Amino acid sequence: MINLDKKPKAGYAARRRLFIAGFLLPTFILFCVFTVYPLLRGLYLSFFDWSGGSETMNFIGFGNYKDLMNDDIIPTAIKNDYFLVFWKVILIMLLATFFAVSLTRLKLREYGFYRVIFFFPNIISVAVIGVLWSFIYNPHLGFLNSFLSLFTRKPVETNWLGDSHLAMWSLLPPSVWAGIGFYMLLIIASILGIPSSLYEAAGIDGAGQWKQFTKITLPLIWEQFKTSIIHIVITTLNGSFIIVKLMTDGGPDNQTQVLGYYLYQMGFKQFHLSYGATIGVLILILSIITTLILQRLLRRDTIEM
């Protein structure tokens, strides 16, 4: 007869904790080495005047932060970062949700094919995407101007990436195109987890597709929806410098400058690494504040199925 009240041996709890630690410790060490240490090191460097290559580091306190407050490029970079954040969140989530709902609720026969097509940009290197769209925007040989020339009497030679009024808008299509597929698959996975009986009951009650989306689909995938938005915001604030570097190099006249690329320029092109670290601290602060605000704005009661 099995005694259910029998307590586990004293060494069992210790072995269990050791087993769990064996899985968590390597990840924790990697996190500390590649995330926590660089973060603390960057914060430390922001209080010095250091080129990145010299042996001496001169302590200047908040000198770099004072320079940051008086830097005319910083407001432009912040404005451009949030310009990309705003439009990427709107466009990516709108299109990703539309395609996800269309592929799951309309039950298209080509479902697998469209999933591959929409996800394809995500398996392409960002460098390839930047070069590809630079050719598309080429004022003389690009596809966009050639296409627009079909509807005009004279050739269109718009300099999309060289015009200060068009350059930031021109960065949006490649940024959005590269991100739709990933978030579409996340939303598809959430939608597929919703019991079909809910839709069947709603259909019997006379609810159309829009009503089913607003009353069933969106509330039940809201947590994934919110996570996707926050992920877009964080990756945009921390990763937009790649597309800017490849397509506009921060120009014309710093009009497409973003904080990430400005950090790269100051730290690794102008060898003012401590000032670059200060910009990195600013990016961290903005990311934390924006994430906390979004967490507050997007908070909703959890709906259980």
Side-chain angles (χ1 to χ4, degrees):
M1 190 176 194
I2 300 175
N3 184 6
L4 298 178
D5 296 330
K6 185 179 179 180
K7 295 182 180 180
K9 295 180 180 180
Y12 173 79
R15 290 197 302 271
R16 184 173 181 275
R17 286 194 293 267
L18 185 62
F19 178 78
I20 295 174
F23 284 97
L24 295 180
L25 192 58
T27 303
F28 178 72
I29 292 174
L30 291 175
F31 176 75
C32 290
V33 171
F34 293 105
T35 301
V36 177
Y37 173 74
L39 190 152
L40 297 177
R41 180 66 175 175
L43 181 62
Y44 173 76
L45 290 177
S46 67
F47 295 105
F48 290 84
D49 180 16
W50 186 47
S51 66
S54 61
E55 296 182 358
T56 58
M57 297 171 57
N58 300 318
F59 180 79
I60 57 173
F62 290 96
N64 286 320
Y65 292 92
K66 293 178 182 177
D67 293 339
L68 196 72
M69 297 295 292
N70 298 318
D71 193 333
D72 295 333
I73 297 178
I74 292 297
T76 301
I78 294 175
K79 181 189 71 173
N80 290 338
D81 268 319
Y82 281 98
F83 172 87
L84 292 173
V85 164
F86 176 80
W87 285 109
K88 283 180 67 176
V89 167
I90 296 295
L91 296 176
I92 290 178
M93 294 309 300
L94 184 65
L95 293 172
T97 305
F98 172 76
F99 292 136
V101 173
S102 298
L103 293 177
T104 52
R105 299 299 304 140
L106 298 183
K107 303 185 184 302
L108 300 177
R109 293 179 59 186
E110 301 83 2
Y111 169 73
F113 172 76
Y114 287 122
R115 282 180 58 181
V116 173
I117 291 298
F118 286 126
F119 189 72
F120 183 73
N122 291 94
I123 64 176
I124 302 176
S125 168
V126 178
V128 174
I129 292 175
V131 173
L132 173 64
W133 280 85
S134 294
F135 278 110
I136 291 175
Y137 286 132
N138 188 285
H140 304 295
L141 304 173
F143 168 79
L144 182 57
N145 280 346
S146 298
F147 176 75
L148 294 176
S149 297
L150 298 175
F151 307 96
T152 59
R153 295 182 178 180
K154 59 180 181 179
V156 176
E157 296 184 351
T158 303
N159 190 359
W160 299 96
L161 299 177
D163 189 322
S164 59
H165 300 292
L166 298 174
M168 279 305 301
W169 289 100
S170 299
L171 293 178
L172 271 178
S175 301
V176 172
W177 179 67
I180 291 175
F182 175 73
Y183 298 102
M184 182 194 72
L185 290 183
L186 293 181
I187 296 173
I188 284 177
S190 298
I191 294 175
L192 292 178
I194 301 174
S196 59
S197 58
L198 295 178
Y199 293 105
E200 293 171 0
I204 294 173
D205 291 338
Q209 289 293 334
W210 176 251
K211 198 78 170 180
Q212 292 180 25
F213 171 73
T214 56
K215 298 300 182 180
I216 299 176
T217 305
L218 189 58
L220 292 178
I221 67 169
W222 184 254
E223 286 302 314
Q224 181 59 66
F225 199 83
K226 180 178 71 173
T227 302
S228 298
I229 291 176
I230 293 175
H231 187 264
I232 292 173
V233 171
I234 293 175
T235 54
T236 301
L237 290 176
N238 291 272
S240 294
F241 77 94
I242 303 175
I243 205 76
V244 170
K245 163 65 179 172
L246 293 169
M247 296 185 66
T248 64
D249 202 31
D253 194 26
N254 287 310
Q255 291 304 303
T256 59
Q257 192 68 262
V258 292
L259 288 175
Y261 184 54
Y262 193 41
L263 182 157
Y264 168 77
Q265 283 186 321
M266 297 303 298
F268 300 99
K269 296 182 73 174
Q270 299 187 26
F271 302 104
H272 195 346
L273 198 63
S274 56
Y275 189 66
T278 309
I279 299 173
V281 174
L282 176 61
I283 295 174
L284 174 65
I285 294 172
L286 291 177
S287 299
I288 293 174
I289 293 174
T290 306
T291 301
L292 292 176
I293 293 174
L294 283 175
Q295 289 276 17
R296 182 74 176 179
L297 293 176
L298 299 175
R299 181 183 300 170
R300 293 179 60 172
D301 294 333
T302 303
I303 299 177
E304 297 183 359
M305 291 181 284

